Amino acid sequence: MTDQPHPPTASAPAPALFTWEFATDPYPAYAWLREHAPVHRTRLPSGVEAWLVTRYADAKQALADQRLSKNPAHHDEPAHAKGRTGIPGERKAELMTHLLNIDPPDHTRLRRLVSKAFTPRRVAEFAPRVQELTDRLIDGFAARGSADLIHEFAFPLPIYAICDMLGVPREDQDDFRDWAGMMIRHGGGPRGGVARSVKKMRGYLAELIHKKREALPGEPAPGEDLISGLIRASDHGEHLTENEAAAMAFILLFAGFETTVNLIGNGMYALLTHPVQRERLQESLAGRERDLLESGVEELLRYDGPVELATWRFATEPLTVGGQDIAPGDPVLVVLAAADRDPQRFADPDVLDLARRDNQHLGYGHGIHYCLGAPLARLEGQTALAALLTRLPDLRLAVDPADLRWRGGLIMRGLRTLPVEFTPAAGDTPEKGAPEVVEP
């Protein structure tokens, strides 16, 4: 393990994309693309042909360009590609009307309504619950001296957190956990399984929203759940429909949980393989300082973030990105992981520096589609990493890094497992009633 990067040589041959080797470490391939083919047309594993945008300046332009629509209706797709973009099953489940699939003016209206419910204040008020969940999960393995930080920690934490925030009753949260487990396997599992989980979740959310709407009090109570807030949100008397509320609750869960799983997993892996940076952070936490934790999470988002490629965009008219002409109907995928390691934007981009200040990364997007759930993900990431490093100070990898496997997928980047060892925490015993764990 080392804190020093190993950049690719300029003479490296054209890389193979979307192989298992690529999934393990895509950054040399992205460096080649930035240098030699910054806007690159490729055939994806699904059979869909799309443009990959890899330079920071081009990526930032594309993310904000409203000629690149989020609406899949603009995809000029051949017969073999139909249904191979977006979330499997969302169309049949009538879950398309969420912020990842629509453009202004519909996007403007929905975002404004949802923002009334999903406020920074609501997230801040949720911090004690995130800390409680974090501690309970660590309690479940602290006395054992070993754990899989994906299965036992990074996966259940955001599931239970977002369920609590949405207002899903505790007795129903295991169902959500099971559906989410199927979704996080979508890179290597059958699309049909994901679609079935989406359909079940849709049915449950529709029923829950209807019940909450019927029982909604005239005035919001302190700590009102997010689904009730979505129902209550209005703009000049206009409310979300039940379909819109279900789609928004669904995408907050779907887009939110795997992002946070990977933020915690990738972030902890980066710290474990960069001991100098990890020790600096632990010293800072021991001094009850938060500055390095906050800047460190931003650097982890930049260095090896949870979202490798931004979600689908489709050209609505002829346009040029990075000198490359793109035809109407063509899909465009902005490679956030490549843009955030662009040496034209970041000094020493392949070096992990938790104190990096000039760090306007694109890990949560840019423009009108900037991630609405970013404050919650940051809260969960900061809480989780701080608790692990403080309570288990000698945490270490239990396997060789070469033995770890990364999930094969298109949008997200994350580890399948993260086995660790540590000195068992004295006095800690697995807590009765701690959330049960399911393997993702």
Side-chain angles (χ1 to χ4, degrees):
M1 294 183 289
T2 176
D3 281 3
Q4 298 302 315
H6 297 284
T9 62
S11 58
L17 304 179
F18 308 116
T19 63
W20 285 111
E21 293 78 12
F22 171 84
T24 299
D25 183 10
Y27 295 103
Y30 289 149
W32 192 96
L33 289 176
R34 278 196 311 265
E35 179 69 21
H36 300 285
V39 182
H40 174 66
R41 189 173 178 88
T42 189
R43 184 179 293 276
L44 304 173
S46 63
V48 176
E49 290 192 0
W51 294 99
L52 302 181
V53 180
T54 57
R55 288 180 179 169
Y56 183 92
D58 297 336
K60 196 170 182 180
Q61 173 204 330
L63 290 171
D65 194 329
Q66 294 195 29
R67 296 172 298 175
L68 290 172
S69 170
K70 298 291 292 174
N71 189 338
H74 291 291
H75 183 194
D76 183 19
E77 54 187 347
H80 76 272
K82 288 191 180 298
R84 297 188 182 182
T85 64
I87 300 169
E90 64 177 349
R91 189 184 304 274
K92 287 185 179 180
E94 297 182 345
L95 288 169
M96 294 291 288
T97 53
H98 57 68
L99 294 177
L100 296 185
N101 280 342
I102 56 175
D103 305 315
D106 291 335
H107 177 274
T108 308
R109 168 185 163 269
L110 282 182
R111 176 118 184 175
R112 187 165 55 236
L113 285 170
V114 174
S115 296
K116 290 176 181 289
F118 197 71
T119 62
R121 179 179 178 181
R122 187 185 293 269
V123 173
E125 290 173 346
F126 197 59
R129 178 58 179 158
V130 173
Q131 185 68 61
E132 178 189 356
L133 283 168
T134 298
D135 287 334
R136 287 185 68 195
L137 288 167
I138 295 176
D139 288 344
F141 55 76
R144 199 170 69 226
S146 66
D148 182 336
L149 289 185
I150 302 299
H151 293 169
E152 297 181 73
F153 185 71
F155 175 76
L157 174 59
I159 288 295
Y160 290 114
I162 195 64
C163 280
D164 276 357
M165 197 170 195
L166 286 170
V168 176
R170 300 283 171 87
E171 63 269 21
D172 295 339
Q173 291 186 7
D174 283 349
D175 289 335
F176 268 76
R177 185 198 64 191
D178 293 341
W179 298 329
M182 176 58 72
M183 290 176 180
I184 208 171
R185 287 194 293 268
H186 66 80
R191 286 177 68 88
V194 182
R196 284 192 294 274
S197 293
V198 168
K199 184 177 180 180
K200 290 176 182 177
M201 190 178 293
R202 170 67 174 89
Y204 177 86
L205 287 171
E207 183 177 350
L208 181 63
I209 288 167
H210 181 73
K211 288 179 180 177
K212 286 184 179 290
R213 190 187 295 274
E214 291 292 312
L216 196 68
E219 295 295 328
E224 181 177 71
D225 65 74
L226 185 54
I227 286 181
S228 296
L230 289 173
I231 296 168
R232 194 183 298 281
S234 67
D235 189 24
H236 303 294
E238 186 176 20
H239 292 72
L240 290 169
T241 67
E242 289 196 1
N243 269 353
E244 290 170 339
M248 287 310 309
F250 165 74
I251 204 60
L252 286 169
L253 178 73
F254 188 93
F257 88 89
E258 190 173 0
T259 303
T260 307
V261 173
N262 295 343
L263 169 57
I264 297 169
N266 298 6
M268 201 64 233
Y269 173 70
L271 292 172
L272 292 173
T273 52
H274 293 78
V276 173
Q277 294 294 311
R278 174 257 190 90
E279 288 167 12
R280 288 179 63 193
L281 181 54
Q282 285 180 305
E283 290 173 2
S284 174
L285 291 170
R288 298 187 178 278
E289 300 170 356
R290 289 194 61 86
D291 285 355
L292 192 62
L293 176 63
E294 292 173 0
S295 67
V297 166
E298 298 310 303
E299 174 69 347
L300 294 169
L301 284 162
R302 182 202 68 82
Y303 179 79
D304 196 11
V307 184
E308 190 167 347
L309 283 75
T311 49
W312 295 86
R313 284 165 168 78
F314 308 96
T316 58
E317 59 183 83
L319 71 151
T320 302
V321 177
Q324 177 64 57
D325 293 334
I326 294 175
D330 280 359
V332 175
L333 290 166
V334 176
V335 188
L336 305 178
D340 280 342
R341 295 241 194 150
D342 187 343
Q344 296 299 313
R345 175 59 186 85
F346 299 101
D348 299 319
D350 295 314
V351 172
L352 180 69
D353 178 8
L354 299 184
R356 189 184 296 268
R357 293 299 176 186
D358 181 17
N359 198 1
Q360 294 181 347
H361 62 78
L362 300 176
Y364 285 124
H366 172 69
I368 64 171
H369 291 285
Y370 183 83
C371 178
L372 188 70
L376 178 60
R378 286 185 167 104
L379 168 65
E380 292 174 330
Q382 291 174 15
T383 304
L385 295 178
L388 286 170
L389 293 174
T390 301
R391 293 188 58 183
L392 309 173
D394 65 344
L395 197 67
R396 57 195 177 273
L397 278 175
V399 297
D400 189 288
D403 293 332
L404 293 173
R405 293 292 177 263
W406 296 78
R407 287 191 300 274
L410 187 63
I411 302 299
M412 299 290 185
R413 170 167 171 77
L415 286 160
R416 291 179 178 273
T417 62
L418 185 57
V420 294
E421 297 173 334
F422 46 88
T423 301
D428 268 324
T429 56
E431 182 179 327
K432 292 182 179 180
E436 188 181 349
V437 175
V438 65
E439 291 193 359

